Amino acid sequence: MVISATVFQQRRALFLERLGAVAAVIPAAPLVTHHADVEHGFRQHSDFWYLTGFDEPGAVALFLPHRSEHPFVLFVEPKDPSAEVWHGFRWGCEGAVTQFGADLAHPRAELAERLAEYLKGAEGIAFRVGRHPSVEPLVLSAWAAQLDRAPRSGQAALGLVAPCPLLHQLRLRKTEDELERLREAARISAEAHELARQVARPGLNERQVQAAIEQHFLAQGARGPAYGSIVAGGDNACVLHYTSNNAPLRDGDLLLIDAGCSLSDYYNGDITRTFPVGGRFSAEQRALYDLVLAAQQAAIACVQPGADAEQVHAAAVRVLVGGLVELGLLQGEVDGLIEQGAYRHLYMHRTGHWLGLDVHDVGAYRLGEHPVPLEPGMVLTVEPGLYVSDRLPVPDGQPAIDARWKGIGIRIEDDVAVTSSGHEVLTAAALKSAEAMER
Ligand code: GLY
Ligand code: MN
Ligand code: MN
């Protein structure tokens, strides 16, 4: 079940309540040029989507708690047969009201002339500066005009404030409807990983495996990949954001696949699995795989209310560093190695991120000095890895890496929801035991 109109309405009511007497201007995403006059497929801005469910470019939503008779106003591209014959259906102003719950709707072209009037009486203006170049000058000039008139009108917004803290606090805590959508994204993503393991074999090109994964996303009704799928054989897996996916798969190498789907309403999956292309781990591959899996299990075990993302990361790092010392890839005492960061040539990223409408979802990880405590409804990825290559120098005092370890890149990533009693691994259907990775 997709998120219902009632849920969008409830989100708006909560946002309006939290705004107090501040008006918010929340723009939709624009179309983005791919090359020449060709555009990328449209991707709505997640803040705008979260509050409206309106999936067209160029719109602007106003939230006006000081105008209780029409607190939700949408500016949209109006109905226009000659534009729609080229670019597709638009809901227009009438649809914005009847289908999307706007109290009033106007053509987008009227924003400049109407904005000042709508903002009149608000104590402040919530708008994210620096991100919306076509809307920002309109907001600033409406506010400037208010300030110019303030001595006689007796009112003007006192400041521009960031909408992010308010809105992103809401987005960070997922409701049950959202968790259902994330479970669906996880289901499709997990199935694609199971499929990829069946398809991959020596001699195939990485992008042939990518095709199988993304075919499954589309066949299951998802919008497509949530981010550039990473299908990385052998040493390519040591490039964290490898997306060229254009090398042949070799017997004896591992294949790292980091891929997840985005649903029609933008909820995302984000899964990484790593397995031997030829069906059997080498001794070194198996040793590192077991280590990453143990680190991931220790990190997932930390996910519970009251813990925080830094503890989750620390748990993974402790297991990895201890294991690397045992394998002779690091030398020294574990606490000291962790403190000095002497493992970072082998594990150079954090262990996870929030997940939701954005793959790297919004929400603070720290508030000042304090890590944000996990609460039921928060969803994060847990994705430790090890990447053994020559790309980064071995820190002073650490052992040179023997050739037999090089070209091994492993990451294991699951999507984990915090529950009242601990956690739920949303992506558990993607197998990850070492035995399941072999054939
Ligand atoms: N796929 C992006 C990430 O794992 O963060
Ligand atoms: Mn991730
Ligand atoms: Mn990922």
Side-chain angles (χ1 to χ4, degrees):
M1 265 297 278
V2 295
I3 302 289
S4 68
T6 312
V7 170
F8 285 108
Q9 205 282 327
Q10 288 164 350
R11 292 173 178 176
R12 288 192 292 272
L14 204 52
F15 182 52
L16 281 161
E17 186 188 307
R18 304 254 176 118
L19 282 168
V22 169
V25 180
I26 309 288
L31 281 168
V32 177
T33 302
H34 183 278
H35 72 280
D37 60 351
V38 176
E39 282 139 356
H40 282 281
F42 178 63
R43 205 299 184 181
Q44 189 53 282
H45 193 290
S46 298
D47 283 344
F48 182 88
W49 174 266
Y50 180 82
L51 292 167
T52 67
F54 190 71
D55 205 18
E56 294 182 25
V60 177
L62 304 186
F63 296 90
L64 308 169
H66 60 296
R67 302 208 155 199
S68 53
E69 71 285 11
H70 51 69
F72 173 39
V73 178
L74 270 175
F75 285 81
V76 302
E77 295 299 347
K79 295 296 290 176
D80 176 349
S82 60
E84 289 178 58
V85 82
W86 282 96
H87 303 296
F89 176 81
R90 293 174 176 178
W91 284 104
C93 294
E94 196 184 325
V97 171
T98 59
Q99 304 295 315
F100 295 90
D103 299 308
L104 292 170
H106 306 286
R108 168 66 173 81
E110 294 179 14
L111 181 64
E113 72 198 64
R114 291 183 181 270
L115 185 59
E117 180 61 24
Y118 277 126
L119 295 178
K120 206 158 125 190
E123 282 178 10
I125 302 168
F127 177 74
R128 173 65 159 91
V129 292
R131 288 283 170 82
H132 306 286
S134 72
V135 180
E136 187 167 317
L138 305 185
V139 173
L140 294 181
S141 84
W143 186 31
Q146 278 190 356
L147 293 171
D148 290 342
R149 286 195 298 269
R152 292 199 179 278
S153 70
Q155 57 185 4
L158 289 176
L160 208 53
V161 300
C164 323
L166 271 184
L167 191 48
H168 296 176
Q169 269 176 26
L170 297 178
R171 283 181 53 192
L172 177 57
R173 291 162 184 81
K174 276 71 180 173
T175 58
E176 189 49 40
D177 312 77
E178 294 186 284
L179 290 170
E180 267 308 306
R181 299 305 289 152
L182 286 166
R183 285 187 193 102
E184 172 73 352
R187 175 187 70 76
I188 297 170
S189 305
E191 286 170 0
H193 278 265
E194 290 297 298
L195 190 65
R197 219 170 51 256
Q198 291 165 24
V199 166
R201 60 177 184 277
L204 278 193
N205 188 285
E206 291 164 343
R207 65 184 47 179
Q208 289 175 287
V209 180
Q210 177 186 0
I213 292 167
E214 295 181 7
Q215 192 277 342
H216 187 74
F217 294 165
L218 295 172
Q220 288 292 308
R223 207 175 267 264
Y227 50 90
S229 303
I230 297 170
V231 183
D235 180 68
N236 293 336
C238 299
V239 177
L240 299 178
H241 288 169
Y242 177 80
T243 48
S244 50
N245 301 350
N246 193 21
L249 299 178
R250 296 185 315 189
D251 199 4
D253 277 351
L254 295 181
L255 176 59
L256 181 154
I257 300 176
D258 183 346
C261 73
S262 190
L263 298 183
S264 55
D265 53 6
Y266 296 111
Y267 288 95
N268 298 301
D270 184 5
I271 301 180
T272 309
R273 292 291 182 264
T274 310
F275 59 89
V277 171
R280 292 274 156 209
F281 285 109
S282 70
E284 288 78 13
Q285 289 167 347
R286 177 65 192 259
L288 293 185
Y289 189 88
D290 287 347
L291 184 51
V292 175
L293 186 56
Q296 202 224 16
Q297 284 165 336
I300 290 175
C302 285
V303 177
Q304 57 183 327
D308 60 63
E310 295 193 10
Q311 290 170 359
V312 174
H313 177 61
V317 168
R318 180 156 293 277
V319 173
L320 290 175
V321 171
L324 290 168
V325 170
E326 279 180 25
L327 293 171
L329 285 158
L330 291 177
Q331 64 190 22
E333 176 256 331
V334 170
D335 285 334
L337 292 169
I338 292 174
E339 207 168 297
Q340 295 151 24
Y343 58 87
R344 290 207 189 108
H345 58 306
L346 300 167
Y347 182 43
M348 62 296 285
H349 60 77
R350 301 290 294 185
T351 301
H353 50 82
W354 305 129
L355 178 74
L357 287 175
D358 290 341
V359 176
H360 292 180
D361 206 25
V362 294
Y365 295 89
R366 294 185 73 81
L367 291 173
E369 289 298 294
H370 306 287
V372 168
L374 298 177
E375 291 174 26
M378 293 179 177
V379 178
L380 68 163
T381 66
V382 181
E383 49 178 307
L386 286 172
Y387 312 91
V388 191
S389 79
D390 283 327
R391 288 179 182 77
L392 296 175
V394 173
D396 285 346
Q398 291 305 313
I401 298 169
D402 195 90
R404 67 198 168 99
W405 298 103
K406 289 187 184 165
I408 301 180
I410 298 168
R411 181 165 61 255
I412 305 174
E413 174 175 28
D414 281 298
D415 305 340
V416 183
V418 184
T419 64
S420 55
S421 59
H423 59 259
E424 173 187 349
V425 180
L426 305 177
T427 45
L431 303 182
K432 61 184 176 185
S433 71
E435 294 70 29
M437 296 301 100
E438 294 197 313
R439 65 178 136 75

